[in-house]
Amino acid sequence: MLSGSKVGLRARHEDDIPVLQAELHDDVVNHSRSDTRPWRPITPGSKHSRLIVDDTEEGHVPFSVVELDSGTLVGSAVLWNIDNHNRSAHIGLGLLPSCRGKGYGTDVVAVLCRYAFVVRGLHRLQIETLSDNTAMLRSAERNGFVREGVLRSAAWVMGEFLDEVLLGLLVQDWKPDARG
């Protein structure tokens, strides 16, 4: 397990899937705001759930996020679109509704950065998030990410186009203790 100050990132357990599906995926609005793919219902226990981990997929590393003190599942995190040639990847996370606003997001981003830069040897990380997602913007910026641009009307969310903010962090600009 990879540990931060508040959370740990560990392998996805089978028991995590129904919780993540109910709390994150089945909430159509939440899913539409956090995933570029259109929402569709998935039968509980389906082998086609997007939450099931394919350990052979090298370019996509999903984690379950747990609270360090209790071991309670608090969300999901991912390093995705890993490009080993250009040494870059994207990061994303989703916290259960009851676990938001507790500083877990900032800690998750910090742990993902450490994993990407130290363990995987990557050079660049990128985040795309909706322009009104202040929690993710704050978590990213507290970890040293810089706003690189706005993708105007780039996300179709519940019947309207929304802007996305593009943030980047280079390994040489990363400061492991920069979070605040």
Side-chain angles (χ1 to χ4, degrees), residues 48-113:
H48 299 292
S49 172
R50 294 176 177 165
L51 297 166
I52 294 175
V53 175
D54 177 0
D55 287 325
T56 64
E57 173 56 54
E58 292 291 325
H60 185 88
V61 182
F63 297 95
S64 286
V65 181
V66 297
E67 189 178 56
L68 278 182
D69 293 337
S70 67
T72 303
L73 180 69
V74 298
S76 176
V78 64
L79 189 67
W80 61 278
N81 200 23
I82 299 169
D83 179 339
N84 289 317
H85 176 72
N86 292 304
R87 295 178 47 206
S88 64
H90 299 247
I91 66 172
L93 66 105
L95 296 175
L96 304 182
S98 63
C99 300
R100 296 174 188 157
K102 299 180 179 183
Y104 294 151
T106 299
D107 203 33
V108 170
V109 173
V111 177
L112 285 171
C113 288

Side-chain angles (χ1 to χ4, degrees), residues 14-31:
E14 192 172 320
D15 293 349
D16 298 342
I17 294 171
V19 175
L20 295 172
Q21 182 169 333
E23 297 277 333
L24 297 177
H25 178 82
D26 289 348
D27 178 342
V28 179
V29 173
N30 177 69
H31 181 274

Side-chain angles (χ1 to χ4, degrees), residues 47-177:
K47 64 182 177 183
H48 299 292
S49 172
R50 294 176 177 165
L51 297 166
I52 294 175
V53 175
D54 177 0
D55 287 325
T56 64
E57 173 56 54
E58 292 291 325
H60 185 88
V61 182
F63 297 95
S64 286
V65 181
V66 297
E67 189 178 56
L68 278 182
D69 293 337
S70 67
T72 303
L73 180 69
V74 298
S76 176
V78 64
L79 189 67
W80 61 278
N81 200 23
I82 299 169
D83 179 339
N84 289 317
H85 176 72
N86 292 304
R87 295 178 47 206
S88 64
H90 299 247
I91 66 172
L93 66 105
L95 296 175
L96 304 182
S98 63
C99 300
R100 296 174 188 157
K102 299 180 179 183
Y104 294 151
T106 299
D107 203 33
V108 170
V109 173
V111 177
L112 285 171
C113 288
R114 189 169 60 251
Y115 173 70
F117 292 141
V118 176
V119 177
R120 299 292 298 241
L122 298 180
H123 176 73
R124 173 186 166 76
L125 291 175
Q126 184 168 311
I127 296 172
E128 299 89 7
T129 190
L130 296 176
S131 61
D132 65 352
N133 188 349
T134 56
M136 186 61 181
L137 292 168
R138 187 171 43 251
S139 293
E141 290 171 341
R142 285 181 176 167
N143 278 286
F145 280 81
V146 174
R147 291 183 194 217
E148 296 180 336
V150 174
L151 306 172
R152 297 179 306 136
S153 294
W156 178 251
V157 179
M158 301 300 292
E160 66 178 320
F161 283 105
L162 299 176
D163 293 348
E164 285 186 327
V165 176
L166 174 66
L167 301 110
L169 178 63
L170 302 178
V171 67
Q172 66 264 24
D173 298 329
W174 176 58
K175 295 178 179 67
D177 57 354

